[in-house]
Amino acid sequence: MHGRNAADWEGLDRALIDLDGTANRARLGANALLGVSRAVERAQAVDANQPLWRYLGGESADLLPMPLLNLLNGGVHADNPVDFQEFMLVPVGASRFSYALRMAVGPTTPSRRPCTPAACRPASATRPGSRRR
């Protein structure tokens, strides 16, 4: 990547994909490619003396992304027999980021332990902000 124009994100990403040389990013790994790409974005934001969200979103940036919560991992790399890769919570309908985060985190906090097929039991639903006894 040395000598490449860091402001050319598409060119940088294309070079990373070409360097990997596989259809599914198997040689270098998708996480490694993503990490390099995000690091370059962060360096560009620092160089522009801006927070990353402002650098990526522009001067009129005023929205935060919807928080997604990975509730359960499965698939080939997991240490459990779950066939699917991930089960995600998506707090659809939240009017503010803080409420979306409360909606996403609320169902996962009662057990306070890692969720594995053997250890997890369905918790009773609670409204965001309500207290469990």
Side-chain angles (χ1 to χ4, degrees), residues 1 11-21 28 33 36-37:
M1 297 295 104
L12 177 72
D13 286 344
R14 174 57 41 209
L16 287 168
I17 291 167
D18 292 345
L19 180 64
D20 178 81
L28 297 176
L33 273 63
V36 170
S37 187

Side-chain angles (χ1 to χ4, degrees), residues 43-63:
Q44 286 292 103
V46 168
D47 187 57
N49 199 30
Q50 294 181 352
L52 182 59
W53 62 269
R54 174 63 49 112
Y55 181 76
L56 294 175
E59 288 300 316
S60 61
D62 63 353
L63 295 175

Side-chain angles (χ1 to χ4, degrees), residues 24 43 46 63 77 81 84 101-102:
N24 64 357
V46 168
L63 295 175
H77 304 293
F84 54 86
L101 192 56
R102 284 175 44 203

Side-chain angles (χ1 to χ4, degrees), residues 5-121:
N5 180 358
D8 178 16
W9 295 349
E10 288 182 22
L12 177 72
D13 286 344
R14 174 57 41 209
L16 287 168
I17 291 167
D18 292 345
L19 180 64
D20 178 81
T22 66
N24 64 357
R25 317 300 183 258
R27 185 167 154 240
L28 297 176
N31 287 340
L33 273 63
L34 181 63
V36 170
S37 187
R38 299 298 79 101
V40 170
E41 289 173 347
R42 177 76 175 115
Q44 286 292 103
V46 168
D47 187 57
N49 199 30
Q50 294 181 352
L52 182 59
W53 62 269
R54 174 63 49 112
Y55 181 76
L56 294 175
E59 288 300 316
S60 61
D62 63 353
L63 295 175
L64 291 172
M66 175 70 69
L68 303 176
L69 190 69
N70 188 345
L71 188 63
L72 178 66
N73 279 327
V76 230
H77 304 293
D79 62 352
N80 60 49
V82 176
D83 290 335
F84 54 86
Q85 183 69 31
E86 295 173 334
F87 183 80
M88 306 287 289
L89 291 179
V90 182
V92 174
S95 57
R96 297 186 320 253
F97 183 85
S98 60
Y99 188 62
L101 192 56
R102 284 175 44 203
M103 288 170 67
V105 172
T108 65
T109 56
S111 71
R112 300 210 189 338
R113 67 180 190 262
C115 188
T116 63
C120 283
R121 302 281 184 273

